[in-house]
């Protein structure tokens, strides 16, 4: 299984509409990719960093789970453009994308 | 539920021993925090970034799940020092810590 993490970094002047993100954007992601291999979808709201009083490095994040990178790319091909075009509707942050393989789950 | 993500950023001269991380470090984390509210533990190995050919922003990451920030802090109090002291045994990267709340899980 792979996890695609879409990370929205905290920063001065950065805005992020959590309600739109969860209720509209992620609903759209599920609708478009749900029949194309999307196994699970998670949303994070950043609370804090590691040091006392430190802000969360990421104000928000979404995690998509697929069986393989190939499945993810195949699913994004017809829908990626539409999904990325929705990003300015909830944030002015350019997301970072991390694709990871689970190597343990205990 | 909260997720504590410990993120090891990719970079020039940065090293990360995935085998030690999974087999020794995370085994130690589970042993020390397992009876203290740790609900789940996951390990990521970074594969790629979002753009074609881009490296993963994080070479590795670990995710710990607790019911609350208070539970996490309580569990770390007696064991945090030992767990952080093990980090140089598998990497020269200073980890970033992100504490998040799940606001959706679909």
């Amino acid at each position: 299984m792979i996890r695609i993490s879409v990370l929205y970094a905290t920063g001065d002047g950065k805005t992020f509409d959590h309600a739109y993100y969860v209720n509209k954007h992620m609903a759209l992601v599920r609708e478009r990719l749900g029949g194309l291999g999307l196994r699970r979808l998670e949303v994070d709201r950043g609370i804090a960093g590691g040091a006392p009083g430190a802000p969360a490095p990421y104000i928000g994040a979404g995690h998509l789970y697929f069986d393989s990178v190939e499945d993810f790319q195949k699913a994004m091909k017809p829908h990626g453009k539409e999904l990325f075009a929705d990003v300015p509707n909830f944030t002015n942050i350019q997301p970072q994308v991390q694709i990871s393989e689970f190597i343990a789950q205990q």
Side-chain angles (χ1 to χ4, degrees), chain A:
Chain A
M1 183 118 89
I2 62 154
R3 163 159 47 201
I4 298 98
S5 300
V6 185
L7 306 166
Y8 297 88
T10 305
D12 278 353
K14 299 302 186 188
T15 61
F16 193 90
D17 181 340
H18 285 284
Y20 186 100
Y21 185 58
V22 174
N23 301 323
K24 305 272 187 180
H25 183 70
M26 285 313 221
L28 183 67
V29 169
R30 197 176 34 174
E31 199 180 301
R32 292 292 185 267
L33 309 183
L36 296 173
L38 177 68
R39 297 279 171 226
R40 198 161 88 220
L41 190 159
E42 294 172 357
V43 175
D44 286 336
R45 179 200 285 264
I47 302 176
Y58 297 102
I59 191 169
H63 306 273
L64 314 185
Y65 297 76
F66 283 84
D67 287 342
S68 68
V69 175
E70 293 66 36
D71 282 4
F72 168 63
Q73 288 170 336
K74 213 182 288 177
M76 284 297 276
K77 207 160 183 184
H79 300 299
K81 204 174 160 184
E82 179 190 10
L83 297 177
F84 282 118
D86 189 43
V87 171
N89 292 326
F90 60 89
T91 186
N92 61 0
I93 302 166
Q94 176 75 21
Q96 262 185 284
V97 175
Q98 163 94 13
I99 302 178
S100 304
E101 184 191 352
F102 283 117
I103 48 169
Q105 204 166 6
Q106 293 152 323

